Amino acid sequence: MKNTALLMFVLFSLNSCNSQEKKTDKQNFPLVKTEAEWKQKLTPYQYQVVREKGTEPSFSGKYYNHFEKGYYACVACEKPLFTSNAKFNSECGWPSFDQAIKGSVIYKTDSTFGMQRTEVICANCGGHLGHVFDDGPAETTGKRFCTNSVSIIFVPKK
């Protein structure tokens, strides 16, 4: 009985910490909206990827093979994230960039699905963009920002 009560206390404490972390996570960004507001602004697919950390299937997004001049911004808040000069063809099926615009993204450890990865999120609204890996072009940064097309919008150079 004593062990059961202790186990329940530990589980409740861990659950409270997780809930608090998620709550705090969403409130530490310059742009804060309720989930209802995000659902109103984003399509259901955008919401699933950007707010719920989903992933679009490889080779399905409209920007994986897109190389016009301009910049890519967050679909949720329109904050510029990547320039077209940073985009390269990684042949991985998702838009790939070797660097983000300084201060535009935040990096978080992601250990979901039994993997150790680095998640990339918008520094302005906290939207999930994708992940960054160390297998990018060696002649530039060596980084590959593997980004969901549905999480970004392209703004052409004028």
Side-chain angles (χ1 to χ4, degrees), residues 78-119:
E78 301 177 15
K79 177 88 169 169
L81 302 167
F82 305 101
T83 67
S84 58
N85 291 340
K87 192 163 189 311
F88 67 97
N89 185 2
S90 69
E91 298 180 2
C92 72
W94 290 276
S96 297
F97 304 89
D98 65 0
Q99 63 185 313
I101 295 171
K102 188 174 178 153
S104 67
V105 300
I106 295 173
Y107 307 96
K108 291 186 73 176
T109 300
D110 176 3
S111 55
T112 57
F113 305 112
M115 297 183 273
Q116 279 299 106
R117 304 178 291 177
T118 302
E119 179 187 9

Side-chain angles (χ1 to χ4, degrees), residues 28-100:
N28 285 337
F29 299 99
L31 179 61
V32 177
K33 291 185 180 215
T34 66
E35 292 310 306
E37 289 172 317
W38 285 125
K39 284 180 179 180
Q40 194 171 36
K41 175 169 179 38
L42 302 170
T43 68
Y45 190 39
Q46 290 169 334
Y47 183 86
Q48 191 263 331
V49 172
V50 176
R51 303 307 305 168
E52 297 179 331
K53 302 179 187 293
T55 301
E56 67 190 6
S58 60
F59 301 100
S60 69
K62 66 181 180 179
Y63 297 127
Y64 85 89
N65 199 23
H66 178 264
F67 293 97
E68 290 179 43
K69 293 293 178 192
Y71 68 89
Y72 298 83
C74 176
V75 72
C77 69
E78 301 177 15
K79 177 88 169 169
L81 302 167
F82 305 101
T83 67
S84 58
N85 291 340
K87 192 163 189 311
F88 67 97
N89 185 2
S90 69
E91 298 180 2
C92 72
W94 290 276
S96 297
F97 304 89
D98 65 0
Q99 63 185 313

Side-chain angles (χ1 to χ4, degrees), residues 89-156:
N89 185 2
S90 69
E91 298 180 2
C92 72
W94 290 276
S96 297
F97 304 89
D98 65 0
Q99 63 185 313
I101 295 171
K102 188 174 178 153
S104 67
V105 300
I106 295 173
Y107 307 96
K108 291 186 73 176
T109 300
D110 176 3
S111 55
T112 57
F113 305 112
M115 297 183 273
Q116 279 299 106
R117 304 178 291 177
T118 302
E119 179 187 9
V120 180
I121 60 176
C122 175
N124 190 50
C125 71
H128 171 75
L129 303 170
H131 293 85
V132 63
F133 301 98
D134 291 323
D135 60 359
E139 61 276 5
T140 59
T141 65
K143 301 290 184 195
R144 175 174 57 95
F145 288 78
C146 187
T147 309
N148 292 290
S149 285
V150 72
S151 69
I152 56 178
I153 52 173
F154 177 71
V155 179

